[in-house]
Amino acid sequence: MDGCFHCGEAIPTGSTHQLALEGVNHHFCCPGCLAVADTIIECGLGSYYQHRSALAPKADAVPDELKQLQHYDLTEIQQDFVSNKDNLKEVQLSISGLSCAACAWLIERHLARVPGVALIQVNTTTERARLRWHDEQVPLSQLLAAFADIGYQARPFQPHQQEQAYNREVKSYLLRMGVAGIASMQVMMVALALYEDLFPGTDADLVEYFRWISLWLSIPVMSYSALPFYRNAWRGLKNRALNMDLPVSLAMVFAFVASVYATVTQTGDVYYECVSMFAFLLLTGRFLEIRAKRRASETTANLTLLVPMLARVETENGEQEVAAKTLQPGQIVLVAPGSQIPADAEILGGSTSVNESMLTGEHLPVTRHQGDTVFAGTTNVESPLRLRVLRSLDEARVSEILRAQDDALAEKPKVALIADQLSRYFVAALLLVTLATYLVWLQLDADKAFWVMLSVLVATCPCALSLATPTALTVATSRLSRSGVLVRRSHVLDTLPKVNRMVFDKTGTLTRGEVAVTSVTLLAELNEAQVLALAAALEAQSEHPIARAFAPFRDQALMVTERENRVGRGICGHINGTRWRLGSGAWLAPENQDAELCVYLANEQGLVARFELTDPLREEAGALIDECRAHGIATTILTGDSSGQAEQVAKRLGVDKLVKHASPDDKLAYLRRCDQAGDICLMVGDGINDAPVLAGAHVSFAMAGGTDIAKNSADALLLSDDLRRILIARHISARCRRVIKQNFSWALGYNLVVLPLAAMGQVSPWFAMVGMSASSLIVMTNSLRLSRL
């Protein structure tokens, strides 16, 4: 024992403080260090001890709550779950204790008041939050403590921890349901003896005895099973927020207290069986809601579970297994057939089929050869692979997808914001209506006033209303992900069904982007190899599909200085002291009318060469245009290409309008004209020059093989270059919109129908309880239908 495993200080003689990590016992100098280490390991962050660069400070005597949270401030630990964004730190959190939209509103309002918090967004369906803050103003531990201040527990989201928390929650609800269910059955049997219509001659002492038996059987239900509803209601009241558990709790407490009063004073009726059954039905509904939320959000969580924990790395000393999350660019990994690929990597040797369904939604394996890129989490189907890691797991495509999905789920569309506000106002209105009903019935029939009020309170609880929107949005987003469409902005689901014009870039979007040089025309005293090498040098740093056509001709000896990208025109730069330009005919040879796709090379003296290129159409492009026409959607090709190929593509596909030789500003101006004409435009592109128009469109999609700038500007990404998935996304969005309308219609319609009936005394508390629970289940079931599209 060289020293304390946590802080490194000497271990006192006779110390028995020890803890096992990965099967090895480690010793500690004091209970404080042991407690901190135990907390770190219990939170699933034991890898901190493998990757830390220095020993931790000795644990001081701090409050228990802070002791459990302060380790989240360590930089080595934050590497696993904290990212940097716009000079701020950002983390995805799992939150336990969420029950409705009001909980999310409460958390957002409370955290927004903490100095240093730049953004807090809560998603009740996935039970996660996105938190962005200034690290120099407030530590993460203090922000996590702020959640605890209002009764919620928040911890950095990690899939295995989410699974454990889900299992604990399910177990808790099952136990509470069991207590409530057993008690309800017993109370119902005892209550039969209290029904005067069935047993009119029952002795008064026996009736009194049965009432006390019902009371004692109901106490476990009220004190244990119904506890989650009381906690949520009190949490809202304490923070001046109304949530849907408030009327539920009031109804149960009022009914129970009234029944206890009737039992003690031996006057009036008792409703112990209603209270017990109400708690059981509510718990059943809440349990099914948790299961439904789990199904709705498990797609995103399961993506990370597909990435293997270990990877086989090739080293100077042979092969060895390491944690996949520790892989760094440049390392060589070996992947056996049937195994998951541990990182985004380039194939160095071998050819195989790769199942990329977890990323693209396409279940048929695709062939990958030497030099191709494969992605973390996909499955190597056929042959052994030798790969070179391109980027760490935090920067892998699967991680980007998860972050984008979390962003989309965290951002609330207008319909979700309206639903949140409506449910809060509805609770306030419900309480006022309930009070008014009670006061009116006091004048009409004082004996019935309390029970009529109770029926109104229960029957109109807005549980279904608060579930109407978030569940449908989460299920639809997950369904789109499985279809190979990654939603990055919240308004996509709102806008897609309204689209009546689709606007496409040409190169790399409607065409495959696999541009090849078919012929070279020399216009100066240079040979073909020289002009190709010069063009390749200028295009060396470009991500445009045309640049890839010159890649095979690259000469490493040619160095470009003062390189400048002229968006929509071409590239210029200095090679060996001479200024060269490579670009479109409209820029370098406007007098030429090219029927094919051509680019020109020119120096200070004039044109040097003309390159004819070919770029085949995507196989699905024609089918997409035909489907657009069938659905009444107008189509436009909006391209910077000024050659005759643009006209050929437009004519072959049968698009409605062609706008060629368009600069980025021209493209944006075209979209604005369409907007003024009343069109809702969807833009699809892939290049740097498409970024402004992608950002400016009503809704936009970027191709999977597009540039990073295009992907960051787009509202959604196609995870595979299959254009038909755009119409699939539109169909799912339209169905989502329809389901949300159905949910709202049902939730509001039910409340509008049952409210007057309950207020007139035509709905018993028992029927109100069943109806309210059934309404919530109908909304949840209707939303889950989207997962089967």
Side-chain angles (χ1 to χ4, degrees):
M1 296 187 295
D2 296 330
C4 175
F5 180 66
H6 181 71
C7 70
E9 292 194 9
I11 299 176
T13 304
S15 173
T16 59
H17 304 300
Q18 58 181 355
L19 183 68
L21 174 61
E22 297 183 352
V24 179
N25 282 330
H26 299 282
H27 297 267
F28 299 84
C29 64
C30 63
C33 286
L34 174 63
V36 173
D38 185 51
T39 302
I40 292 174
I41 295 169
E42 283 295 320
C43 292
L45 301 170
S47 59
Y48 159 68
Y49 289 108
Q50 299 174 9
H51 307 303
R52 62 180 177 176
S53 56
L55 292 171
K58 184 177 178 66
D60 296 322
V62 295
D64 290 342
E65 180 64 21
L66 289 179
K67 187 182 295 183
Q68 294 175 1
L69 299 178
Q70 283 181 342
H71 66 274
Y72 287 117
D73 296 333
L74 298 173
T75 303
E76 294 88 342
I77 288 180
Q78 288 190 4
Q79 289 175 354
D80 285 342
F81 50 79
V82 174
S83 59
N84 293 311
K85 198 164 190 178
D86 300 329
N87 297 321
L88 300 172
K89 287 200 171 184
E90 182 176 305
V91 64
Q92 291 288 335
L93 300 172
S94 295
I95 305 176
S96 58
L98 287 177
S99 62
C100 65
C103 294
W105 175 81
L106 171 61
I107 292 172
E108 290 174 351
R109 187 180 71 166
H110 180 72
L111 267 294
R113 294 174 177 174
V114 178
V117 172
L119 176 73
I120 173 67
Q121 293 174 323
V122 180
N123 185 287
T124 54
T125 306
T126 60
E127 296 185 346
R128 295 184 214 163
R130 179 171 62 164
L131 178 63
R132 199 178 294 169
W133 79 101
H134 296 274
D135 189 50
E136 67 278 4
Q137 295 184 29
V138 58
L140 179 57
S141 61
Q142 187 174 326
L143 297 177
L144 298 179
F147 283 87
D149 290 341
I150 53 174
Y152 299 92
Q153 185 184 56
R155 295 294 183 269
F157 169 71
Q158 291 182 323
H160 66 281
Q161 289 183 17
Q162 187 86 339
E163 185 72 24
Q164 293 171 1
Y166 168 74
N167 291 334
R168 286 195 300 269
E169 190 173 20
V170 166
K171 183 178 179 180
S172 172
Y173 268 96
L174 285 174
L175 189 57
R176 296 180 191 277
M177 284 171 56
V179 171
I182 293 172
S184 297
M185 290 187 288
Q186 303 303 317
V187 174
M188 288 292 290
M189 288 191 295
V190 173
L192 286 175
L194 303 178
Y195 293 152
E196 294 183 1
D197 294 341
L198 296 177
F199 306 100
T202 306
D203 182 73
D205 291 338
L206 189 58
V207 169
E208 184 66 19
Y209 173 73
F210 282 138
R211 285 189 171 192
W212 281 99
I213 290 294
S214 298
L215 169 60
W216 290 111
L217 288 172
S218 301
I219 287 176
V221 177
M222 293 296 296
S223 61
Y224 173 69
S225 296
L227 200 57
F229 306 111
Y230 306 150
R231 286 174 178 166
N232 291 334
W234 172 245
R235 194 156 45 206
L237 286 174
K238 187 172 64 172
N239 293 278
R240 300 178 182 178
L242 300 178
N243 58 38
M244 69 180 183
D245 283 330
L246 180 58
V248 165
S249 300
L250 289 175
M252 286 192 291
V253 170
F254 285 170
F256 183 74
V257 170
S259 298
V260 171
Y261 177 80
T263 302
V264 173
T265 61
Q266 300 183 16
T267 58
D269 297 321
V270 295
Y271 283 84
Y272 296 117
E273 74 279 12
C274 287
V275 172
S276 300
M277 187 56 68
F278 188 30
F280 176 71
L281 291 174
L282 283 172
L283 287 167
T284 302
R286 190 65 56 84
F287 174 75
L288 294 176
E289 178 187 333
I290 292 170
R291 294 288 300 273
K293 287 179 179 179
R294 174 68 175 176
R295 288 182 56 191
S297 61
E298 65 184 357
T299 300
T300 56
N302 285 344
L303 281 178
T304 55
L305 298 179
L306 292 174
V307 179
M309 295 292 292
L310 299 175
R312 282 196 301 142
V313 178
E314 187 180 280
T315 67
E316 296 178 354
N317 300 321
E319 298 177 15
Q320 68 179 60
E321 286 193 333
V322 301
K325 66 180 181 181
T326 65
L327 291 175
Q328 295 299 319
Q331 288 185 287
I332 307 300
V333 296
L334 305 174
V335 181
S339 300
Q340 273 76 36
I341 294 169
D344 290 5
E346 178 187 357
I347 298 177
L348 296 179
S351 296
T352 189
S353 295
V354 178
N355 185 341
E356 298 180 347
S357 59
M358 54 86 71
L359 291 178
T360 66
E362 178 57 59
H363 292 281
L364 292 177
V366 294
T367 303
R368 294 288 182 241
H369 305 285
Q370 182 173 341
D372 289 343
T373 300
V374 291
F375 301 101
T378 58
T379 303
N380 176 23
V381 177
E382 293 178 341
S383 305
L385 289 178
R386 186 168 178 267
L387 310 172
R388 181 174 62 241
V389 177
L390 295 177
R391 41 192 167 264
S392 64
L393 189 57
D394 288 341
E395 299 175 349
R397 176 170 289 190
V398 64
S399 298
E400 292 177 356
I401 291 174
L402 282 172
R403 283 193 290 269
Q405 286 179 331
D406 287 335
D407 289 348
L409 291 173
E411 291 183 11
K412 296 180 180 179
K414 290 182 180 179
V415 65
L417 294 173
I418 292 172
D420 290 350
Q421 294 174 354
L422 185 60
S423 63
R424 288 199 297 274
Y425 291 136
F426 196 90
V427 171
L430 167 62
L431 295 176
L432 292 175
V433 170
T434 302
L435 178 61
T437 301
Y438 177 71
L439 295 175
V440 171
W441 273 93
L442 277 179
Q443 307 301 319
L444 299 176
D445 188 343
D447 292 337
K448 291 184 178 180
F450 178 80
W451 302 109
V452 172
M453 177 200 72
L454 189 63
S455 296
V456 171
L457 197 61
V458 173
T460 55
C461 178
C463 298
L465 189 63
S466 67
L467 296 172
T469 301
T471 308
L473 290 174
T474 303
V475 175
T477 301
S478 298
R479 182 65 186 87
L480 285 170
S481 179
R482 295 204 310 273
S483 299
V485 178
L486 175 59
V487 176
R488 299 184 65 248
R489 305 279 193 274
S490 60
H491 71 275
V492 170
L493 290 170
D494 279 340
T495 311
L496 267 180
K498 306 174 188 175
V499 167
N500 59 5
R501 178 175 292 275
M502 288 196 187
V503 183
F504 303 93
D505 177 45
K506 179 179 70 68
T507 305
T509 303
L510 291 175
T511 62
R512 298 185 64 86
E514 297 174 356
V515 183
V517 179
T518 56
S519 68
V520 180
T521 302
L522 300 175
L523 304 175
E525 296 180 356
L526 290 175
N527 60 41
E528 183 173 314
Q530 289 174 320
V531 296
L532 286 170
L534 288 167
L538 290 169
E539 294 279 22
Q541 299 178 26
S542 175
E543 297 182 69
H544 195 280
I546 288 179
R548 291 194 286 269
F550 293 96
F553 310 106
R554 182 81 169 91
D555 184 350
Q556 299 295 334
L558 295 179
M559 302 300 295
V560 180
T561 59
E562 300 180 31
R563 186 182 183 279
E564 183 181 352
N565 181 30
R566 300 289 184 87
V567 178
R569 294 183 175 185
I571 298 171
C572 59
H574 287 78
I575 302 177
N576 297 330
T578 302
R579 179 175 172 81
W580 294 89
R581 293 180 294 167
L582 179 73
S584 65
W587 182 34
L588 299 178
E591 68 282 359
N592 293 350
Q593 299 297 322
D594 296 313
E596 302 295 334
L597 176 60
C598 298
V599 296
Y600 289 82
L601 178 66
N603 57 19
E604 296 167 341
Q605 283 71 44
L607 295 177
V608 173
R610 174 177 176 268
F611 305 98
E612 288 188 13
L613 310 172
T614 182
D615 187 9
L617 282 174
R618 294 188 184 278
E619 297 175 357
E620 70 276 8
L624 172 64
I625 300 300
D626 292 341
E627 289 188 44
C628 287
R629 191 179 299 111
H631 286 84
I633 302 173
T635 53
T636 299
I637 293 179
L638 192 58
T639 179
D641 186 5
S642 59
S643 72
Q645 192 196 37
E647 295 174 350
Q648 294 177 8
V649 170
K651 183 176 181 180
R652 182 175 173 183
L653 294 177
V655 297
D656 299 314
K657 187 175 182 62
L658 168 66
V659 179
K660 65 178 188 176
H661 188 32
S663 68
D665 290 340
D666 294 335
K667 292 181 178 183
L668 197 55
Y670 174 78
L671 283 191
R672 287 172 178 165
R673 290 196 299 272
C674 290
D675 183 30
Q676 294 171 358
D679 288 341
I680 305 297
C681 295
L682 183 154
M683 177 69 197
V684 189
D686 72 318
I688 293 175
N689 59 335
D690 296 322
V693 72
L694 287 171
H698 292 101
V699 62
S700 57
F701 280 71
M703 305 296 289
T707 63
D708 290 340
I709 293 178
K711 292 177 182 178
N712 289 330
S713 302
D715 301 317
L717 305 179
L718 294 177
L719 298 178
S720 66
D721 289 331
D722 185 349
L723 293 170
R724 288 171 296 188
R725 296 183 187 275
I726 297 174
L727 287 180
I728 294 175
R730 187 172 182 270
H731 171 67
I732 294 174
S733 300
R735 289 293 298 272
C736 176
R737 189 179 180 86
R738 193 179 312 153
V739 164
I740 290 174
K741 289 181 178 179
Q742 292 170 353
N743 289 347
F744 267 117
S745 299
W746 170 261
L748 290 174
Y750 168 78
N751 280 288
L752 291 175
V753 169
V754 78
L755 177 59
L757 293 175
M760 290 187 295
Q762 301 301 310
V763 177
S764 65
W766 166 258
F767 183 83
M769 295 172 190
V770 174
M772 187 274 292
S773 299
S775 179
S776 298
L777 292 178
I778 287 172
V779 166
M780 292 294 297
T781 304
N782 191 42
S783 297
L784 288 174
R785 290 192 304 119
L786 291 168
S787 65
R788 297 192 293 270
L789 289 179

